[in-house]
Amino acid sequence: MDKDKSYTIEYARWDNVVITAQLIIASLVCVIEILNNTLLYVTRSQGYGPDTIVQKLLRYLILTTVFNFGMLILSKIIEKKVVDDILKRYLLMFFTTLICTDVAFSHYQFAVTLAIFVIPVVISILYEDGKLTIFTTIISTVGDLVAIYARAIDTEYNKDIGPEAVIALALPVSVMVFAMLITKTLRERRDAVKEAVIRAEKSNAAAEKMALSFKMLETLAGTIDAKDKYTNGHSMRVAIYATKLAEELGWDKERIEKLRYEALLHDIGKIGVPDAILNKPSKLTDMEFDLIKSHTVVGADILKNMVAVPNATEVARYHHERFDGKGYPSNVSGNAIPINARIVCIADSFDAMSSDRIYRKALKRDVIREELINGKGTQFDPELLDVFLNLLEGHKLDNVIAMVFEPVNNTEQKYVMDDIESVIRKVNEMENHKNTLYEFDKFYKYMRNIGLRYNRSIEVLSVEINKTGSETPFDIDEEISDILQIAIRKNIRAVDVYYKYSASKHMLILLDAGVDNIDIIQQRILFDFNSNILSEGYTLQFSLNESIDSKR
């Protein structure tokens, strides 16, 4: 059912009901008159002679039938030709009352026929229009008076009609009061439903718009993190650490969800920092360091109109401020720093210390704890830091930390990765590198030989983008390919090697991953890819150490 029909009056449907009622009344009266006159002619029960009966037949049966069906035809014309719904229903009710007036005027069963005026009043309830009900009652009363007058001046009808006339006039008015109460109730109910539906539509539209915005923000944050493998997944992990801390503080679900997106976007200003500076392995010059520090102001400027995440601007600007006022860019201190920014500051520093960076390796857990404690009251809010340390020491962050890219923590791992990347470079340099990669067994053999050389397990996982309903990828948009690349980079470890062969084909070389971890990696990649609204209409196909169709 169309959602609008839940609160829209179906005028066309009720127009048909009114015309159907007219047809029923006209047909019944015609049949009754025929049967009545036939019975009178055969039985002579009321003493009428044949001439009188024929006269009655012409007077009542033919004229009444012509008039009633004439009103019916006119109503059908009105239904088809009149565009204005209000005018149409008033005319239809007027013609219905005329039919009832004709029946009451021409039929001698006075008490019965006068009751026919109840019909149009009751039918008017369908339109839920109080004014229409009053209009119908008025013209029904006029019809009543016409019928009563006709009986009063008819010399052949010598019955006292006073009591019946009073009842006949009171009946439509009484029904009108009842009809008005029903109409009011129906209208109030329909208005309430309409208001509820409109509120739901607005709420759903706002939710859909916000969900779309959030997905775009997640994609943007992932794009920034993917600028180099050392910060890959950083924003996502900072968001998780921040929300864990907020949960421990007892924040409500809505506030925590907003904090998650604020944390996701805290480094968005780095989009304006050149990769050469972000990835510079040597010491930065003062000018280069100032450019990196500017990402706080740039990020705040980018997010200043972000209605869906109102505090994202504050977090982007102040997450590098220090509790002692020696941070940047504004040198604010203590509680003058927004609490969301203070939380993200702790989460950001923790992830920076626990992850590999281009200028150093990840720090050990005890060293990280010592650094955090050393920054208590100077760099970090002391109360918030105590809560975070309790989470850390209570192993409540272990499942999150396990998601951090496994660091390349020994020389052998580095040699393995160097050899893998060397093979990929050589394959790319070959004139027939496409055939080499499509001959998956040959490519996997290269990887397996490296694993045997170092006694390590190496698995090759290919990920292909397919259009829904198609077994082969074709015309894959680069934007879709980028979405997959971001999903992959967010979910592989530092010891894994990512290789983009084409827009539709991406490859992962996994070191000592294990079957369970490979399955988790696939699930996370698939989840992140499908979470992006732009990926609708595409599916991912994973192949582990299996031949790739070379016909593409």
Side-chain angles (χ1 to χ4, degrees), residues 24 44 59 73-74 106 132 158 200-201 224 228 246 258 306 308 319-320 326 369 375 381 385 408 410-411 442 454 472:
I24 292 172
R44 312 287 200 278
R59 179 181 174 185
I73 293 171
L74 191 57
S106 61
L132 178 65
N158 53 7
E201 290 173 350
I224 295 167
D228 91 274
K258 288 181 179 179
M306 181 59 62
H319 71 278
H320 278 295
K326 296 179 181 180
R369 184 179 181 279
D381 181 317
L385 183 64
V408 183
N410 59 53
T411 304
K442 182 184 293 185
Y454 293 100
T472 59

Side-chain angles (χ1 to χ4, degrees), residues 322-324 346 369-387 389:
R322 291 170 54 98
F323 200 73
D324 59 8
I346 295 173
R369 184 179 181 279
E370 184 178 346
E371 289 291 327
L372 290 173
I373 293 174
N374 289 339
K376 184 177 180 179
T378 54
Q379 182 177 356
F380 309 116
D381 181 317
E383 294 181 3
L384 294 177
L385 183 64
D386 284 341
V387 176
L389 289 173

Side-chain angles (χ1 to χ4, degrees), residues 127-141:
Y127 292 99
E128 300 177 25
D129 185 342
K131 293 180 180 179
L132 178 65
T133 300
I134 294 174
F135 169 78
T136 305
T137 304
I138 292 174
I139 58 175
S140 295
T141 302

